[in-house]
Amino acid sequence: MPPIHIMIKPVSGACNLRCRYCFYADELARRAKPSPGVMEEETARALIRKAFIYADGAVTFSFQGGEPTLAGASFYRFFIDEVSRCNTRGLPVSYGLQTNATLLTDELCELFAKHGFLIGVSLDGPKEIHDALRGDAAGGGSYDAVRRGIALLRRHRAEFNILSVLTREAAGRIGEVWEELSPYGYLQFIPCIDALDGERTSYSLDPETYGKALVEIFDRYRDAFFSSAPVRERRMDNYLSMLLGYPPEHCGMSGRCGVYFLCEADGSVYPCDFYALDEWKLGNIRETSFARMEAGPAAKRFAAEGSRRPEKCRDCRYLFLCGGGCRRDREPSLTENRFCESYRYFFDRRLAGMRALADAVRKRMGS
């Protein structure tokens, strides 16, 4: 069997914030049993044991929410100890965790640093932009608490990067957002996801604004690349890597949906965190192996549907980089990626610049 990447929701969708664009809240509302609570140790044991039965290569455990730090330091100590016990073949293991950073403590940061967790911190830009949509349960903003969490991560020398959601407002002010976030060194700009039924909101990201934002992100990425303080950005890194002949690391650029396993708190497993829905449930890890779930009818149907590209992709000269885009951006009809024109706008104006940057990297690698 291959390496395995498991995304885990130890507290399901429970969260101390009330981010208005939270795509997982939309998914929970569409399930018969919205939130299954907190992961029990027995479920975590089954998950870990079956992960090492499945894998012949590297094993990656990534924790998400909701807000996964609500599980507490004791959960993560237990999980790490159980991984050590089950990893009898000495396979490479890595950990990741996505957090709003507001509940981080010295204890958690010390633990994450000690065991090499890569922490993804959600921060949408300057305080005004961030607080507009990422408020707490009482209606207050979360920016200041996020910054305190980042300070704790730095104090304990825990590795982290920034995850930033591009809403209409954030993309329209991408220069300000870049200035705020670029000092952190590694960014991932994520286009805001609408509800599964396609309902639009005042903060929905429109194609024109996103296309213009991509142009400016690349320009700043390129300028930083040749400076003394380079800034990595996940999408731009992927484009550059693909132009250098490597496969995309980002599944949304591959042109097909794989099955990477999303494990809910009760052990229910889904093929993707964007599709943690009853119709896509692969099974329960307490009852079924990863191999059987991967070979099951739901996984095969998900992969087949995710490999169908929109008709207009057929003759597109940019398909080799776009791949048709993420299936989630083709909901609800699956007939067209809502950001198709964004990518066309971007590639029309910056593909030559990306090729030039790739050539510069080639020369640097050859020197």
Side-chain angles (χ1 to χ4, degrees):
M1 292 294 179
I4 184 172
H5 182 185
I6 307 171
M7 302 179 78
I8 304 163
K9 293 189 178 285
V11 296
S12 187
C15 190
N16 62 311
L17 298 188
R18 298 295 182 268
C19 303
R20 291 172 62 191
Y21 54 61
C22 179
F23 73 85
Y24 205 65
D26 176 55
E27 289 178 49
L28 291 176
R30 297 172 190 274
R31 294 201 314 225
K33 183 180 179 182
S35 185
V38 178
M39 182 171 283
E40 297 176 356
E41 289 188 358
E42 183 181 348
T43 303
R45 283 195 187 96
L47 184 158
I48 294 164
R49 180 174 60 83
K50 291 180 180 179
F52 285 107
I53 290 172
Y54 175 95
D56 280 337
V59 181
T60 302
F61 299 105
S62 296
F63 300 92
Q64 295 186 326
E67 175 46 47
T69 58
L70 285 168
S74 60
F75 172 83
Y76 293 102
R77 284 201 189 87
F78 161 78
F79 198 99
I80 292 164
D81 289 345
E82 196 67 17
V83 166
S84 297
R85 190 181 69 81
C86 291
N87 188 12
T88 56
R89 291 176 288 156
L91 298 178
V93 174
S94 57
Y95 296 104
L97 183 140
Q98 294 185 15
T99 177
N100 61 41
T102 63
L103 301 178
L104 288 172
T105 62
D106 284 304
E107 183 181 19
L108 279 168
C109 292
E110 182 180 5
L111 182 67
F112 295 154
K114 178 180 178 181
H115 294 280
F117 278 59
L118 174 59
I119 308 298
V121 174
S122 294
L123 181 60
D124 284 354
K127 182 179 176 69
E128 176 190 355
I129 293 174
H130 178 93
D131 282 351
L133 297 173
R134 296 187 63 84
D136 59 26
S142 60
Y143 177 88
D144 293 336
V146 175
R147 292 293 298 269
R148 287 194 293 271
I150 288 173
L152 281 177
L153 289 169
R154 283 177 160 165
R155 183 186 307 164
H156 291 278
R157 299 184 179 180
E159 186 178 1
F160 72 95
N161 55 37
I162 299 296
L163 310 175
S164 181
V165 174
L166 286 181
T167 57
R168 184 193 302 266
E169 177 78 4
R173 297 167 61 182
I174 193 63
E176 297 171 59
V177 172
W178 181 276
E179 291 297 322
E180 172 81 19
L181 302 181
S182 60
Y184 294 110
Y186 188 101
L187 316 176
Q188 179 181 347
F189 289 116
I190 306 164
C192 184
I193 297 174
D194 287 334
L196 279 157
D197 60 10
E199 182 181 357
R200 306 285 285 168
T201 65
S202 61
Y203 47 82
S204 291
L205 182 59
D206 62 282
E208 181 180 0
T209 304
Y210 186 36
K212 291 178 179 178
L214 287 171
V215 169
E216 185 161 356
I217 289 168
F218 173 74
D219 289 348
R220 289 175 177 264
Y221 172 88
R222 178 189 54 201
D223 292 346
F225 190 92
F226 294 107
S227 75
S228 58
V231 180
R232 295 184 60 193
E233 197 283 319
R234 188 185 183 196
R235 178 174 293 276
M236 298 304 157
D237 279 358
N238 269 263
Y239 288 147
L240 187 59
S241 180
M242 292 166 74
L243 289 171
L244 290 168
Y246 298 99
E249 165 270 336
H250 192 298
C251 59
M253 299 176 185
S254 68
R256 59 184 179 83
C257 289
V259 175
Y260 59 73
F261 305 121
L262 182 284
C263 191
E264 256 285 8
D266 65 350
S268 296
V269 177
Y270 305 89
C272 171
D273 60 332
F274 290 159
Y275 291 92
L277 302 166
D278 294 340
E279 66 183 293
W280 294 116
K281 183 175 174 179
L282 306 182
N284 191 293
I285 197 58
R286 294 172 68 153
E287 303 162 356
T288 311
S289 69
F290 284 113
R292 285 185 62 189
M293 285 189 277
E294 185 178 47
K300 289 181 178 178
R301 182 165 53 93
F302 184 79
E305 289 190 14
S307 297
R308 297 189 194 123
R309 295 190 181 111
E311 186 69 26
K312 67 187 301 183
C313 292
R314 186 167 297 174
D315 300 317
C316 180
R317 63 186 182 277
Y318 301 131
L319 183 62
F320 75 104
L321 281 177
C322 171
C326 177
R327 168 190 169 141
R328 189 63 169 74
D329 292 328
R330 302 199 295 268
E331 294 289 355
S333 67
L334 300 183
T335 57
E336 181 174 353
N337 189 306
R338 66 192 180 99
F339 294 127
C340 177
E341 295 309 312
S342 309
Y343 299 130
R344 286 179 181 272
Y345 181 95
F346 171 60
F347 293 133
D348 280 345
R349 289 158 178 78
R350 291 298 182 270
L351 181 55
M354 285 196 291
R355 291 189 189 279
L357 182 56
D359 287 341
V361 172
R362 251 185 231 103
K363 291 177 182 176
R364 182 180 293 183
M365 292 169 63
S367 62

Coordinates of all heavy atoms in Angstrom, one line a residue, residues 235 238-239 242 247-248 250-258 303 305-330 334 336-337 339-340 343-344 347:
R235 N 0.0 28.2 -3.9 CA -0.5 28.1 -5.3 C 0.6 28.5 -6.2 O 0.9 27.7 -7.2 CB -1.7 29.0 -5.5 CG -2.2 29.0 -6.9 CD -3.5 29.8 -7.1 NE -4.6 29.2 -6.3 CZ -5.3 28.2 -6.8 NH1 -5.1 27.7 -8.1 NH2 -6.3 27.7 -6.1
N238 N 3.2 25.8 -6.5 CA 2.7 24.7 -7.3 C 2.8 25.0 -8.8 O 3.3 24.1 -9.6 CB 1.3 24.3 -7.0 CG 1.2 23.3 -5.9 OD1 1.0 22.1 -6.2 ND2 1.3 23.7 -4.6
Y239 N 2.4 26.2 -9.2 CA 2.6 26.5 -10.6 C 4.0 26.5 -11.0 O 4.4 25.9 -12.1 CB 2.0 27.9 -10.9 CG 0.5 28.1 -10.8 CD1 -0.1 29.2 -10.3 CD2 -0.3 27.0 -11.2 CE1 -1.4 29.4 -10.3 CE2 -1.7 27.2 -11.2 CZ -2.2 28.3 -10.7 OH -3.6 28.5 -10.6
M242 N 5.2 22.9 -11.3 CA 4.7 22.2 -12.5 C 5.4 22.6 -13.7 O 5.7 21.8 -14.6 CB 3.2 22.5 -12.6 CG 2.4 21.8 -11.5 SD 0.7 22.5 -11.4 CE -0.1 21.7 -12.8
P247 N 4.9 17.0 -10.6 CA 3.5 17.0 -10.5 C 3.0 17.9 -9.4 O 3.8 18.3 -8.5 CB 3.2 15.5 -10.0 CG 4.5 15.1 -9.3 CD 5.6 15.8 -10.1
P248 N 1.8 18.4 -9.5 CA 1.2 19.3 -8.5 C 1.1 18.7 -7.1 O 0.7 17.5 -7.0 CB -0.1 19.7 -9.0 CG -0.5 18.6 -9.9 CD 0.7 18.0 -10.5
H250 N -0.8 20.3 -4.9 CA -2.2 20.7 -4.6 C -3.2 19.9 -5.4 O -3.1 19.9 -6.7 CB -2.3 22.2 -5.0 CG -3.6 22.8 -4.5 ND1 -4.8 22.4 -4.8 CD2 -3.8 23.9 -3.6 CE1 -5.7 23.2 -4.2 NE2 -5.1 24.0 -3.5
C251 N -4.1 19.1 -4.8 CA -5.0 18.2 -5.5 C -5.9 18.9 -6.4 O -6.3 18.4 -7.5 CB -5.8 17.4 -4.5 SG -6.8 18.3 -3.4
G252 N -6.2 20.2 -6.2 CA -7.1 20.9 -7.0 C -6.5 21.3 -8.4 O -7.2 21.7 -9.3
M253 N -5.2 21.0 -8.6 CA -4.6 21.3 -9.9 C -4.3 20.0 -10.6 O -3.7 20.1 -11.7 CB -3.2 22.0 -9.6 CG -3.4 23.4 -9.0 SD -1.8 24.1 -8.6 CE -2.3 25.6 -7.7
S254 N -4.6 18.9 -10.1 CA -4.3 17.6 -10.7 C -5.3 17.1 -11.7 O -5.0 16.2 -12.5 CB -4.2 16.5 -9.6 OG -5.4 16.2 -9.0
G255 N -6.5 17.8 -11.7 CA -7.5 17.4 -12.7 C -8.4 16.2 -12.2 O -9.2 15.7 -13.0
R256 N -8.2 15.7 -11.0 CA -9.0 14.6 -10.6 C -9.0 14.6 -9.0 O -8.1 15.2 -8.4 CB -8.4 13.3 -11.0 CG -7.0 13.0 -10.6 CD -6.4 11.7 -11.2 NE -5.0 11.5 -10.7 CZ -4.7 11.0 -9.6 NH1 -5.6 10.6 -8.7 NH2 -3.4 10.8 -9.2
C257 N -10.0 14.0 -8.5 CA -10.1 13.9 -7.0 C -9.6 12.5 -6.6 O -10.0 11.5 -7.1 CB -11.6 14.0 -6.6 SG -12.3 15.6 -6.8
G258 N -8.7 12.6 -5.7 CA -8.2 11.3 -5.1 C -9.0 11.1 -3.8 O -10.0 11.8 -3.5
A303 N -14.2 9.3 -6.9 CA -13.0 9.5 -7.8 C -13.5 9.7 -9.2 O -13.0 10.5 -10.0 CB -12.1 8.3 -7.7
E305 N -16.5 10.8 -10.4 CA -17.1 12.1 -10.6 C -16.1 13.2 -10.5 O -16.2 14.2 -11.3 CB -18.2 12.3 -9.5 CG -19.4 11.4 -9.7 CD -20.6 11.8 -8.9 OE1 -20.6 12.9 -8.3 OE2 -21.6 11.0 -8.7
G306 N -15.1 13.1 -9.7 CA -14.1 14.1 -9.5 C -13.1 14.2 -10.7 O -12.4 15.2 -10.8
S307 N -13.1 13.2 -11.5 CA -12.2 13.2 -12.7 C -12.9 13.8 -13.9 O -12.2 14.0 -15.0 CB -11.8 11.8 -13.0 OG -11.0 11.3 -11.9
R308 N -14.2 14.1 -13.9 CA -14.9 14.7 -15.0 C -14.7 16.2 -15.1 O -15.0 16.9 -14.1 CB -16.4 14.4 -14.9 CG -16.7 12.9 -15.0 CD -18.2 12.7 -15.1 NE -18.6 11.3 -14.9 CZ -19.5 10.9 -13.9 NH1 -20.1 11.8 -13.2 NH2 -19.7 9.7 -13.7
R309 N -14.1 16.6 -16.1 CA -13.9 18.1 -16.3 C -15.0 18.7 -17.0 O -15.7 18.1 -17.8 CB -12.6 18.3 -17.0 CG -11.3 17.8 -16.3 CD -10.1 18.3 -17.1 NE -8.9 17.9 -16.5 CZ -8.0 17.0 -17.1 NH1 -8.3 16.5 -18.2 NH2 -6.9 16.6 -16.5
P310 N -15.2 20.0 -16.7 CA -16.2 20.8 -17.5 C -15.9 20.8 -19.0 O -14.7 20.7 -19.4 CB -16.1 22.2 -16.9 CG -15.5 22.0 -15.6 CD -14.6 20.8 -15.7
E311 N -16.9 20.9 -19.8 CA -16.8 20.8 -21.3 C -15.8 21.8 -21.8 O -15.0 21.5 -22.7 CB -18.1 21.0 -21.9 CG -18.1 20.8 -23.4 CD -17.9 19.4 -23.8 OE1 -18.3 18.5 -23.0 OE2 -17.5 19.1 -25.0
K312 N -15.8 23.0 -21.3 CA -14.9 24.1 -21.8 C -13.5 23.9 -21.5 O -12.6 24.5 -22.0 CB -15.4 25.5 -21.3 CG -15.2 25.7 -19.8 CD -15.9 27.0 -19.3 CE -15.3 28.2 -20.0 NZ -15.9 29.5 -19.5
C313 N -13.2 22.9 -20.6 CA -11.7 22.6 -20.3 C -11.1 21.9 -21.5 O -9.9 21.9 -21.6 CB -11.6 21.7 -19.1 SG -12.1 22.5 -17.5
R314 N -11.9 21.2 -22.3 CA -11.4 20.3 -23.3 C -10.3 21.0 -24.2 O -9.3 20.4 -24.5 CB -12.5 19.8 -24.1 CG -12.1 18.7 -25.1 CD -13.3 18.0 -25.7 NE -14.1 17.3 -24.6 CZ -15.2 16.7 -24.8 NH1 -15.8 16.7 -26.0 NH2 -15.8 16.1 -23.8
D315 N -10.6 22.2 -24.7 CA -9.7 22.9 -25.6 C -8.9 24.0 -24.9 O -8.4 24.9 -25.7 CB -10.5 23.4 -26.8 CG -11.2 22.3 -27.5 OD1 -10.6 21.2 -27.7 OD2 -12.4 22.5 -27.9
C316 N -8.9 24.1 -23.6 CA -8.3 25.2 -22.9 C -6.7 25.1 -22.9 O -6.2 24.0 -22.5 CB -8.8 25.3 -21.5 SG -8.0 26.7 -20.6
R317 N -6.0 26.1 -23.4 CA -4.6 26.0 -23.4 C -3.9 26.1 -22.1 O -2.7 25.9 -21.9 CB -4.1 27.1 -24.3 CG -4.3 28.6 -23.8 CD -3.9 29.6 -24.9 NE -4.0 31.0 -24.5 CZ -5.2 31.6 -24.6 NH1 -6.3 31.0 -25.1 NH2 -5.3 32.9 -24.2
Y318 N -4.7 26.4 -21.0 CA -4.2 26.4 -19.7 C -4.5 25.2 -18.8 O -4.1 25.2 -17.7 CB -4.7 27.7 -19.0 CG -4.4 29.0 -19.7 CD1 -5.4 29.9 -19.9 CD2 -3.1 29.3 -20.1 CE1 -5.1 31.1 -20.6 CE2 -2.8 30.4 -20.8 CZ -3.8 31.4 -21.0 OH -3.5 32.6 -21.6
L319 N -5.1 24.2 -19.4 CA -5.5 23.0 -18.7 C -4.3 22.4 -18.0 O -4.4 21.8 -16.9 CB -6.2 22.0 -19.6 CG -6.7 20.8 -18.9 CD1 -7.8 21.1 -17.8 CD2 -7.3 19.8 -19.9
F320 N -3.1 22.4 -18.6 CA -1.9 21.7 -18.0 C -1.5 22.3 -16.7 O -0.8 21.7 -15.9 CB -0.8 21.8 -19.0 CG -0.1 23.1 -19.1 CD1 1.2 23.3 -18.5 CD2 -0.7 24.2 -19.8 CE1 1.8 24.6 -18.6 CE2 0.0 25.4 -19.9 CZ 1.2 25.6 -19.3
L321 N -1.9 23.5 -16.4 CA -1.6 24.1 -15.1 C -2.8 24.2 -14.2 O -2.7 24.0 -13.0 CB -1.1 25.6 -15.3 CG 0.4 25.8 -15.7 CD1 0.7 27.2 -15.8 CD2 1.3 25.2 -14.6
C322 N -4.0 24.4 -14.8 CA -5.2 24.6 -14.0 C -5.8 23.2 -13.6 O -6.3 23.0 -12.4 CB -6.3 25.3 -14.8 SG -7.9 25.4 -14.1
G323 N -5.7 22.2 -14.5 CA -6.3 20.9 -14.2 C -7.8 20.9 -14.1 O -8.4 19.9 -13.7
G324 N -8.4 22.0 -14.4 CA -9.9 22.1 -14.3 C -10.3 22.6 -12.9 O -11.5 22.9 -12.7
G325 N -9.4 22.8 -12.0 CA -9.7 23.3 -10.7 C -10.3 22.3 -9.8 O -10.7 21.2 -10.1
C326 N -10.5 22.8 -8.5 CA -11.1 21.9 -7.5 C -12.6 21.7 -7.8 O -13.3 22.6 -8.2 CB -11.0 22.6 -6.1 SG -11.7 21.8 -4.8
R327 N -13.0 20.4 -7.6 CA -14.4 20.0 -7.8 C -15.3 20.9 -7.0 O -16.4 21.2 -7.4 CB -14.5 18.6 -7.5 CG -16.0 18.1 -7.3 CD -16.1 16.8 -6.8 NE -17.5 16.5 -6.4 CZ -18.1 15.3 -6.6 NH1 -17.4 14.3 -7.1 NH2 -19.4 15.1 -6.3
R328 N -14.9 21.3 -5.8 CA -15.8 22.0 -4.9 C -16.1 23.4 -5.5 O -17.2 23.9 -5.2 CB -15.0 22.3 -3.6 CG -15.9 22.9 -2.5 CD -17.0 22.0 -2.1 NE -17.7 22.4 -0.9 CZ -18.5 23.5 -0.8 NH1 -18.7 24.2 -1.9 NH2 -19.0 23.9 0.3
D329 N -15.3 23.9 -6.4 CA -15.6 25.2 -7.0 C -16.5 25.0 -8.3 O -16.7 26.0 -9.0 CB -14.3 25.9 -7.5 CG -13.4 26.3 -6.3 OD1 -14.1 26.7 -5.2 OD2 -12.2 26.3 -6.3
R330 N -16.9 23.7 -8.5 CA -17.9 23.5 -9.6 C -19.3 23.2 -9.1 O -20.1 22.8 -9.8 CB -17.4 22.3 -10.5 CG -16.0 22.6 -11.1 CD -15.7 21.7 -12.2 NE -15.6 20.3 -12.0 CZ -14.5 19.6 -11.7 NH1 -13.4 20.3 -11.6 NH2 -14.5 18.3 -11.4
L334 N -21.6 21.2 -11.2 CA -20.4 20.5 -11.6 C -20.1 20.8 -13.1 O -19.2 20.1 -13.7 CB -20.4 19.0 -11.4 CG -20.6 18.5 -9.9 CD1 -20.6 17.0 -9.9 CD2 -19.5 19.1 -9.0
E336 N -19.2 23.8 -14.5 CA -18.1 24.9 -14.8 C -17.5 25.3 -13.5 O -18.2 25.5 -12.5 CB -18.8 26.1 -15.5 CG -17.7 27.1 -15.8 CD -18.3 28.3 -16.6 OE1 -19.5 28.1 -17.1 OE2 -17.6 29.3 -16.8
N337 N -16.2 25.5 -13.5 CA -15.5 26.0 -12.3 C -15.8 27.5 -12.2 O -15.6 28.3 -13.2 CB -14.0 25.8 -12.5 CG -13.2 26.2 -11.2 OD1 -13.4 27.3 -10.7 ND2 -12.5 25.2 -10.7
F339 N -14.3 29.8 -10.9 CA -13.1 30.7 -11.1 C -12.4 30.5 -12.4 O -11.3 30.9 -12.5 CB -12.2 30.4 -9.9 CG -12.7 30.8 -8.6 CD1 -12.8 29.9 -7.5 CD2 -13.3 32.1 -8.4 CE1 -13.3 30.3 -6.3 CE2 -13.8 32.4 -7.1 CZ -13.8 31.5 -6.1
C340 N -13.1 29.8 -13.3 CA -12.5 29.6 -14.6 C -11.9 30.9 -15.2 O -10.8 31.0 -15.7 CB -13.5 28.9 -15.6 SG -12.8 28.7 -17.3
Y343 N -8.7 32.3 -13.6 CA -7.5 31.7 -14.0 C -7.1 32.1 -15.4 O -5.9 32.3 -15.7 CB -7.6 30.1 -13.9 CG -7.9 29.7 -12.5 CD1 -8.9 28.8 -12.2 CD2 -7.1 30.2 -11.4 CE1 -9.2 28.4 -10.9 CE2 -7.4 29.8 -10.1 CZ -8.4 28.9 -9.8 OH -8.7 28.5 -8.5
R344 N -8.1 32.2 -16.3 CA -7.8 32.7 -17.7 C -7.2 34.1 -17.6 O -6.2 34.4 -18.3 CB -9.1 32.7 -18.5 CG -9.6 31.3 -19.0 CD -10.8 31.4 -19.8 NE -11.3 30.1 -20.2 CZ -11.0 29.5 -21.3 NH1 -10.1 30.1 -22.1 NH2 -11.5 28.4 -21.7
F347 N -3.6 33.7 -16.2 CA -2.6 33.1 -17.1 C -2.4 33.9 -18.4 O -1.3 34.0 -18.9 CB -3.1 31.7 -17.5 CG -3.1 30.7 -16.4 CD1 -4.1 29.9 -16.2 CD2 -2.0 30.6 -15.5 CE1 -4.1 28.9 -15.1 CE2 -2.0 29.7 -14.5 CZ -3.0 28.9 -14.3

